[in-house]
Amino acid sequence: VQLQASGGGLVQAGGSLRLSCAASSTIVNYNMGWFRQPPGKGREFVASIAWGGRTSYYTDSVKGRFTISRDDAKNAMYLQMNSLKPEDTAVYYCSAGEDSSLLRRLEGDYWGKGTLVTVSS
């Protein structure tokens, strides 16, 4: 599975962005996740959604602001980001994995190239 994240850009604090992750083939059997790497820091988990879409997880810092979703018919996943803060500035990556726990530990099976999100204060 090849993944490509898109939708990043420059936004002011308090604004919104919607990231998309397009897959080259079906993702129906995969857990999907979003991760980010802030400037000068390591990659970190942001959110994940299980296959079937019934279970999702979020890191504490984005709870109530970000929403993860998936559209298996379109082989796509999304991250709606609201109330953005400067500390959300990072390169955002999407990943797919058969094991949900491993995925959240940055051990997904497939990774896409990232998309840069910059939040100005």
Side-chain angles (χ1 to χ4, degrees):
V1 178
Q2 293 182 324
L3 303 172
Q4 179 62 60
S6 63
L10 174 63
V11 63
Q12 289 188 331
S16 298
L17 280 176
R18 187 189 193 217
L19 303 184
S20 298
C21 177
S24 61
S25 58
T26 183
I27 59 170
V28 66
N29 293 318
Y30 288 100
N31 303 286
M32 302 293 295
W34 286 99
F35 303 80
R36 67 186 179 187
Q37 186 164 10
K41 297 183 179 181
R43 195 171 298 190
E44 62 186 23
F45 168 76
V46 176
S48 66
I49 186 167
W51 61 269
R54 285 173 290 183
T55 304
S56 58
Y57 297 91
Y58 297 90
T59 192
D60 286 346
S61 62
V62 309
K63 286 179 181 177
R65 300 189 299 122
F66 291 10
T67 302
I68 189 171
S69 62
R70 62 190 293 162
D71 186 340
D72 291 342
K74 295 182 178 180
N75 296 337
M77 174 182 63
Y78 308 98
L79 186 67
Q80 179 65 44
M81 305 187 296
N82 299 327
S83 302
L84 282 161
K85 304 176 180 180
E87 51 264 43
D88 295 318
T89 295
V91 177
Y92 284 72
Y93 300 86
C94 56
S95 180
E98 294 187 359
D99 187 293
S100 178
S101 295
L102 289 177
L103 177 68
R104 295 197 300 275
R105 294 202 296 264
L106 280 68
E107 295 180 35
D109 299 310
Y110 304 97
W111 289 86
K113 294 182 180 179
T115 185
L116 176 63
V117 172
T118 303
V119 185
S120 63
S121 58

